[in-house]
Amino acid sequence: MGNSRKTYIVANWKMNFTPGEASIYLHKLSERVKGARDLQVVLCPSLVSLQPLSLQVSRRQFKLAAQNFYWRDFGAYTGEVAIAQLRGFVDYALVGHSERRHIFCETDKDIREKVAAAVRNDITPILCIGETSDERLMGETDVVIYDQLLGGLSEISKEDIDKVIVAYEPVWAISSTKNARSAAPEEIEDAIKRIRTHISKLYGKNIAEEISVLYGGSVNPSSAAAYLNVEGVDGLLVGGASLIADSFCDIVEIAKGVEK
Ligand code: PGA
């Protein structure tokens, strides 16, 4: 990459681990993962573990992220948690993950409001975008990426766009998707080029070069180096492999060894 952008390794634990299990896991990670300059390790526990982990975590070593939240700051929304309530616990939040889009039917409007709410509350949204396998087969990858970027970022001004991270996660490569297959590095490179081209159209060339773009989808210790070496990739969003401490620590170690 030739610049000093940070590399992000993000663990998406999804709906796994009780608070007790999450605490033991964090303890294990804390002993094994040594921080490095220009490397940011981010953990996304389930909501119920965020508060206890925020007391346990060393923020110099790891940052925490919310997997989900509601975009209004307060009000009569039974069962929801506002991102304003997560201030102080998290520095990042996933938005637009394919499971939220496809299982929970989140719309572009929901995603746009969430990105804006995160930025408004000084929490960095990690905007996840990516096409399904049918969309790819129909040649719609570019238009899906564009629509999801436009949909997710339309409330975000040029002044605020540096507070956003984008993650390219093709749905067909996410390990929980039926018949998932690993993406080839060339497929990722092509999609990330398209993402930066669209960002350039929306916000200008400099921002397109500077914005952090992560890759996610079946990342494991065997594929991490190849994915991190893809031109334009600034880090990894790891689901399944982040549930196994050894695998996740290996991925973090690999990231330290990859020159950006
Ligand atoms: P996976 O999940 O690494 O298990 O494919 C990635 C994600 O859903 O963020």
Side-chain angles (χ1 to χ4, degrees):
M1 190 76 49
N3 68 21
S4 58
R5 272 213 304 261
K6 250 187 202 169
T7 299
Y8 293 88
I9 302 294
V10 183
N12 179 8
W13 294 348
K14 307 193 180 182
M15 203 174 68
N16 295 289
F17 299 149
T18 63
E21 288 163 347
S23 167
I24 293 168
Y25 188 100
L26 175 60
H27 181 71
K28 239 190 241 173
L29 286 189
S30 311
E31 297 204 315
R32 289 204 38 198
V33 172
K34 298 283 166 270
R37 214 163 50 90
D38 300 330
L39 178 69
Q40 183 66 70
V41 181
V42 180
L43 308 174
C44 313
S46 66
L47 203 51
V48 73
S49 299
L50 273 178
Q51 196 267 348
L53 289 198
S54 76
L55 300 175
Q56 181 185 341
V57 76
S58 152
R59 291 222 181 169
R60 286 181 49 214
Q61 195 175 18
F62 305 113
K63 302 281 191 226
L64 296 178
Q67 293 177 20
N68 188 33
F69 58 88
Y70 188 46
W71 55 270
R72 290 189 197 271
D73 286 344
F74 58 89
Y77 302 102
T78 301
E80 292 298 319
V81 173
I83 196 149
Q85 293 173 301
L86 297 175
R87 286 180 77 141
F89 299 146
V90 302
D91 291 287
Y92 298 87
L94 301 182
V95 181
H97 188 279
S98 79
E99 286 149 18
R100 302 288 328 159
R101 291 180 192 265
H102 299 291
I103 303 173
F104 298 100
C105 305
E106 281 190 11
T107 62
D108 277 343
K109 178 182 182 302
D110 298 318
I111 292 162
R112 170 167 75 240
E113 298 284 10
K114 285 181 168 197
V115 169
V119 168
R120 180 170 77 238
N121 283 283
D122 294 321
I123 290 167
T124 301
I126 302 175
L127 172 63
C128 303
I129 60 172
E131 79 287 2
T132 62
S133 88
D134 282 353
E135 288 164 343
R136 172 162 282 257
L137 282 173
M138 309 263 282
E140 290 173 355
T141 300
D142 191 60
V143 84
V144 171
I145 285 174
Y146 180 68
D147 284 351
Q148 292 183 352
L149 281 172
L150 194 64
L153 297 175
S154 55
E155 298 279 316
I156 301 299
S157 66
K158 205 167 176 174
E159 286 65 48
D160 281 336
I161 187 68
D162 64 340
K163 298 173 187 147
V164 176
I165 293 175
V166 174
Y168 174 59
E169 293 210 303
V171 181
W172 47 267
I174 294 180
S175 65
S176 55
T177 302
K178 199 164 165 234
N179 300 326
R181 71 164 176 92
S182 299
E186 307 75 54
E187 292 174 305
I188 299 168
E189 186 173 343
D190 176 70
I192 285 183
K193 251 192 217 141
R194 291 170 190 274
I195 290 172
R196 292 195 192 275
T197 302
H198 294 317
I199 298 272
S200 174
K201 277 186 248 152
L202 296 171
Y203 293 99
K205 194 164 170 279
N206 288 350
I207 286 169
E209 281 169 10
E210 278 159 24
I211 194 166
S212 293
V213 183
L214 317 185
Y215 172 71
S218 296
V219 174
N220 59 42
S222 321
S223 58
Y227 289 157
L228 283 166
N229 276 316
V230 170
E231 179 73 30
V233 168
D234 298 310
L236 302 171
L237 180 44
V238 188
S242 77
L243 298 177
I244 305 155
D246 286 344
S247 301
F248 188 66
C249 292
D250 287 350
I251 292 170
V252 173
E253 282 307 310
I254 290 162
K256 277 192 213 163
V258 172
E259 188 86 11
K260 280 282 170 190

